[in-house]
Amino acid sequence: MKKDFLLLTVALPSLLIASPSYAVESEIEQRNTNKSTEVISDIPSLSEIELPVTNAELLSQQSVPIEVNPEETQPETEQTPSDDADISIEAIAEPDNLPQSTPTYVIDREEIKKQGAASLADILKRMPGFAINDVGHGADIHTGTYYRGASINQSVFLIDGRQINTNVNIYHGGTDLNSIPVEAIERVELYSGTASALFGSSAFGGVVNIITKEGYGKPKFSASAEFGSLNLNNQQVTYGGSSDKVKYNFSFERFFTDNRYRVPVGAANRDEQGFLSNADTATSTYFGSIGLDLDRKNSLNLDVTALSSRRGLIYFGFPLQRDRLDHDGLNVGLSWKTRLGNGESSNLTTSIGYNQDYFSTYGPTGASFYRRGSLDTQQLTARVDHEWKIAANNKLRWGLDLKNTDLIGDVLSTDPTRIAENEKEDRSLFNTALFAVNTWNISDNFLIDLGLRQSFDSQFGNYLNPSVGLRYAVTPIVAVRGSWAGGQRNPGLDQLYVYDTVHGWAPNPDLRPEIGSTWTVGVDVSFSENLIGQFTYFGSSIGDRLGVIAGKWTNIGLVDTNGLEAALQLKIAAGWSTFLNYTYTDAQIKTGTEKGLQLGLIPYSVLQTGVGYQNSGWQANLYVTYNSGARRSIFANSTDKPTDFAPSFVNLDLSGRIPLTSNLGLTVYLENLLGEQYERVNRIYSPGFTFRVGLTANF
């Protein structure tokens, strides 16, 4: 598998040499709308090191301001590409004061629409560093989401800066990437490095921040209806706007697919007729936010997200898996943002949140027995976050996190061999953390980020996690950077105390936290005004990694990860753009019976590239994915070996939009154009070619 890395390393410079001439000049542009937004270019002049770090926004042709004058808004079909690929960042307590020693990758709502993303997983799969197996038809909530070799529970997920991870691990209770309507998402941001000090010591992978839409201008209603292969149907509606000092936005999404298609002999969960069985998925998601501008310096915002999900489980597959998974979630957040003093050098954000996730798996274990397991997690959180520009060359971001978690686990089985495990656990813990990141601009071209996060945990005591990063602009077009961060991820209450009746995994109250560190070394290059690149060599070392041995949760040992991440963006001509993201990940097990092997489910190489064109409402985007195949490691056929990898595959997707009227458009998504029924992971196969056709309307 490592030969893929060598081939692609040679191919990357060739792509740059073969790039066509550049026809569009980009510029650095700052705009203010009522002094509440700031727009920056993809790659700012590297001598302006104080600006937010660059992003790798994909195929985005136009700036997307957070707030616009409703009189100046044009119908969607009349929009024309700008010469920039700008993003908008809110000025109060938003990530303009993130550490700049590692890149911040951003995908905005225009690119999300182009991709035809149906979930957050669909969005993340085309960001640098991600390898996601739970995307698309035949997918399952727990088939694997990895960033730089770290699992979904080793990354931090936020909604508008508020953490939503539950740290639930069994009954497939990882962070559900369907938990918010896609139509409610303004953009998705990806951080790493010293940013982990701000949001959680468990961010061995990265920090994913989902920024939701706010209403502006005249009330606007938008809707879409989509139908396609495998009885897929998806409906979304959004209503938002503003009135005087009140902003509001409401979204609803309903999604269903039966995921029933023929699979080859040897596939997971293949029924007697040769079809994939028990893979249907139905979700309903709701989102609402109301913002109130109290005065020029103070604003309040309330947001509510609710999820109801029903699906089958297919991942085990041998023998035929019939268990079902229900997931109901509720997330409520209230935030108060204020500018302190007379200027804009001191911003304070105070927020409180409530999060509940209920996971329930149930089904037959055979002809005679029944099993059920449920996890009901409730969290109360509070956060105070202060951004303070102490001096012209010194910025401090510091604050306090509080989190109280209650977990009720209920286990029931009629199998005589498991009846002894039937129980009901009621556990809770309290975690407090103080955090600070200080950024010094030593000169116009050189800055240093220093971060600290001191945690106080009722289960695992007190621990300190430091971080450091630096960035140096060697020339106006080349900057080098690096970061190091220590981390600690504590076992979940379910792993400690709740029996997993679905898998038959026993808890272990003696589990130790995963402790380790992550690091990056990278370079940002502006090859020309139309071609930008970000290259990052990353690594991590995590001791006492959690896993299952002989049917019991335990600390399995040390895992070292090293890899390369590359993000390129090219402007070809007006209306055209292309991107390339490539990630090589070597996540090697260093101890135990699997010493020397790659972590299961993590491919060595993932490449995403695409080219897009848009003009006057017309859009066409071609996406190409290469996956080198991941190691089969769990729930595999008896004939499989621990060293076996799924075969590599190439996938082509085509998306397009045809304007029918000024307010109505036809969308088409053709997926897997090559029609190859490749193995996605652990004997789960794609359905081959599929299509989706829909209508979008804006009023």
Side-chain angles (χ1 to χ4, degrees):
M1 294 301 170
K2 295 189 178 182
K3 65 181 181 181
D4 300 308
F5 170 63
L6 298 176
L7 291 173
L8 286 166
T9 302
V10 174
L12 285 175
S14 301
L15 173 71
L16 301 179
I17 296 172
S19 298
S21 60
Y22 314 119
V24 183
E25 293 187 357
S26 62
E27 59 184 9
I28 294 175
E29 190 175 31
Q30 294 185 357
R31 306 172 186 172
N32 278 315
T33 304
N34 296 333
K35 296 184 179 180
S36 64
T37 62
E38 175 180 283
V39 182
I40 59 173
S41 69
D42 283 337
I43 286 284
S45 171
L46 297 180
S47 63
E48 300 188 29
I49 203 69
E50 186 175 343
L51 291 177
V53 77
T54 62
N55 69 73
E57 191 177 6
L58 310 182
L59 296 181
S60 184
Q61 297 294 310
Q62 57 193 356
S63 57
V64 187
I66 293 288
E67 184 173 355
V68 297
N69 186 330
E71 277 70 30
E72 296 176 357
T73 303
Q74 296 178 335
E76 186 173 349
T77 57
E78 297 178 4
Q79 293 177 353
T80 57
S82 73
D83 291 338
D84 308 339
D86 297 339
I87 62 169
S88 302
I89 295 181
E90 188 178 353
I92 302 180
E94 288 290 348
D96 50 334
N97 282 334
L98 280 170
Q100 299 167 34
S101 47
T102 52
T104 298
Y105 300 114
V106 179
I107 291 185
D108 70 5
R109 66 172 180 254
E110 294 303 315
E111 175 58 23
I112 292 171
K113 289 180 180 179
K114 292 177 187 177
Q115 294 179 5
S119 68
L120 179 61
D122 279 327
I123 299 171
L124 295 177
K125 72 177 182 179
R126 289 197 171 99
M127 298 190 83
F130 269 98
I132 298 182
N133 304 317
D134 62 351
V135 179
H137 307 292
D140 195 348
I141 188 175
H142 60 297
T143 51
T145 298
Y146 299 91
Y147 179 63
R148 294 178 177 174
S151 69
I152 191 170
N153 282 333
Q154 292 171 321
S155 296
V156 173
F157 286 78
L158 314 170
I159 291 182
D160 296 325
R162 189 178 67 253
Q163 187 171 342
I164 59 174
N165 294 69
T166 61
N167 202 27
V168 168
N169 300 269
I170 64 175
Y171 303 156
H172 324 298
T175 303
D176 194 339
L177 300 184
N178 301 285
S179 59
I180 184 171
V182 172
E183 187 61 30
I185 298 176
E186 174 68 29
R187 64 185 183 274
V188 176
E189 302 172 342
L190 175 60
Y191 325 136
S192 59
T194 50
S196 62
L198 297 174
F199 299 109
S201 62
S202 61
F204 287 115
V207 178
V208 176
N209 193 10
I210 308 160
I211 307 298
T212 58
K213 292 180 182 178
E214 292 184 349
Y216 289 95
K218 294 179 180 179
K220 181 180 179 181
F221 176 82
S222 61
S224 66
E226 188 177 77
F227 302 90
S229 305
L230 310 179
N231 287 322
L232 180 147
N233 64 83
N234 183 17
Q235 298 85 41
Q236 299 186 39
V237 294
T238 296
Y239 180 73
S242 63
S243 176
D244 195 16
K245 296 184 178 181
V246 179
K247 299 173 291 185
Y248 51 89
N249 189 70
F250 305 98
S251 297
F252 167 75
E253 180 178 2
R254 177 187 177 275
F255 176 86
F256 173 80
T257 180
D258 65 13
N259 272 336
R260 183 166 173 78
Y261 53 88
R262 290 194 176 275
V263 290
V265 175
N269 245 50
R270 185 178 188 266
D271 65 16
E272 295 81 1
Q273 290 78 41
F275 287 86
L276 183 68
S277 175
N278 196 45
D280 56 290
T281 297
T283 61
S284 295
T285 50
Y286 307 80
F287 172 80
S289 69
I290 299 177
L292 175 63
D293 293 328
L294 301 175
D295 53 39
R296 190 176 63 86
K297 291 187 176 183
N298 295 274
S299 64
L300 288 173
N301 190 82
L302 173 68
D303 64 87
V304 180
T305 306
L307 164 72
S308 179
S309 172
R310 303 292 181 265
R311 67 182 68 201
L313 296 178
I314 60 172
Y315 186 66
F316 325 94
F318 310 101
L320 201 64
Q321 175 71 13
R322 296 183 175 88
D323 283 80
R324 307 290 296 175
L325 170 64
D326 293 351
H327 176 205
D328 296 301
L330 175 65
N331 188 283
V332 182
L334 177 65
S335 63
W336 169 38
K337 301 178 182 180
T338 183
R339 289 189 177 95
L340 303 177
N342 297 323
E344 298 184 4
S345 62
S346 181
N347 300 317
L348 180 68
T349 301
T350 304
S351 60
I352 57 175
Y354 170 77
N355 187 72
Q356 180 179 26
D357 279 286
Y358 178 79
F359 291 93
S360 176
T361 57
Y362 53 92
T365 59
S368 306
F369 306 123
Y370 175 85
R371 63 187 176 199
R372 176 181 59 81
S374 66
L375 296 172
D376 187 357
T377 304
Q378 299 186 58
Q379 290 183 332
L380 287 173
T381 62
R383 180 179 174 93
V384 178
D385 189 337
H386 183 209
E387 299 175 355
W388 182 19
K389 190 171 184 179
I390 301 174
N393 66 339
N394 190 4
K395 293 185 295 186
L396 173 66
R397 185 169 177 181
W398 67 285
L400 171 69
D401 273 330
L402 302 172
K403 180 168 66 175
N404 186 80
T405 303
D406 292 308
L407 173 67
I408 297 177
D410 197 355
V411 178
L412 174 65
S413 176
T414 61
D415 187 337
T417 63
R418 297 190 179 185
I419 288 179
E421 306 293 343
N422 292 345
E423 62 169 341
K424 186 172 184 177
E425 291 281 350
D426 189 347
R427 301 282 179 166
S428 62
L429 63 82
F430 182 73
N431 184 279
T432 305
L434 296 168
F435 62 85
V437 174
N438 204 338
T439 298
W440 282 279
N441 289 83
I442 307 301
S443 68
D444 290 340
N445 300 324
F446 182 50
L447 67 79
I448 295 178
D449 295 315
L450 294 178
L452 290 174
R453 189 175 182 91
Q454 175 66 57
S455 300
F456 308 88
D457 191 277
S458 62
Q459 185 82 30
F460 294 99
N462 307 333
Y463 47 95
L464 177 68
N465 298 115
S467 60
V468 61
L470 59 85
R471 181 179 171 92
Y472 177 64
V474 182
T475 73
I477 62 172
V478 177
V480 294
R481 48 181 165 76
S483 68
W484 177 92
Q488 175 169 324
R489 174 179 171 257
N490 300 326
L493 289 172
D494 54 333
Q495 294 170 306
L496 293 166
Y497 302 113
V498 181
Y499 179 76
D500 184 345
T501 186
V502 174
H503 303 88
W505 294 345
N508 184 355
D510 297 323
L511 290 175
R512 299 180 301 276
E514 296 177 335
I515 298 176
S517 61
T518 62
W519 52 267
T520 66
V521 177
V523 58
D524 299 333
V525 184
S526 179
F527 295 100
S528 75
E529 292 185 343
N530 297 313
L531 177 62
I532 59 175
Q534 295 173 294
F535 307 90
T536 304
Y537 190 58
F538 61 84
S540 66
S541 181
I542 304 176
D544 282 332
R545 189 173 179 118
L546 296 171
V548 176
I549 296 180
K552 184 176 182 178
W553 282 103
T554 188
N555 295 98
I556 62 175
L558 176 67
V559 174
D560 283 349
T561 300
N562 292 276
L564 173 67
E565 181 181 283
L568 297 171
Q569 186 180 35
L570 169 67
K571 299 288 189 63
I572 303 174
W576 290 86
S577 67
T578 185
F579 77 95
L580 183 148
N581 295 328
Y582 170 70
T583 304
Y584 172 81
T585 306
D586 182 7
Q588 191 174 122
I589 301 170
K590 291 294 186 179
T591 58
T593 58
E594 294 187 336
K595 180 179 179 180
L597 296 180
Q598 173 87 339
L599 274 179
L601 314 182
I602 301 175
Y604 279 111
S605 293
V606 175
L607 183 143
Q608 298 276 356
T609 186
V611 61
Y613 175 76
Q614 68 175 22
N615 184 27
S616 300
W618 293 79
Q619 289 183 5
N621 302 277
L622 178 66
Y623 299 97
V624 182
T625 300
Y626 166 78
N627 187 304
S628 66
R631 185 172 74 90
R632 304 189 188 109
S633 60
I634 53 176
F635 309 116
N637 278 331
S638 58
T639 57
D640 290 340
K641 301 176 183 177
T643 55
D644 285 350
F645 276 71
S648 61
F649 62 86
V650 175
N651 185 66
L652 273 69
D653 298 329
L654 179 67
S655 69
R657 183 185 187 278
I658 302 172
L660 302 178
T661 69
S662 60
N663 297 316
L664 187 66
L666 174 69
T667 57
V668 180
Y669 302 100
L670 306 178
E671 298 161 316
N672 197 351
L673 293 174
L674 299 179
E676 178 186 358
Q677 196 167 23
Y678 53 81
E679 181 182 350
R680 187 180 301 279
V681 63
N682 264 52
R683 302 296 186 185
I684 297 177
Y685 290 81
S686 75
F689 172 77
T690 59
F691 71 90
R692 292 182 286 147
V693 178
L695 290 174
T696 61
N698 297 279
F699 304 100

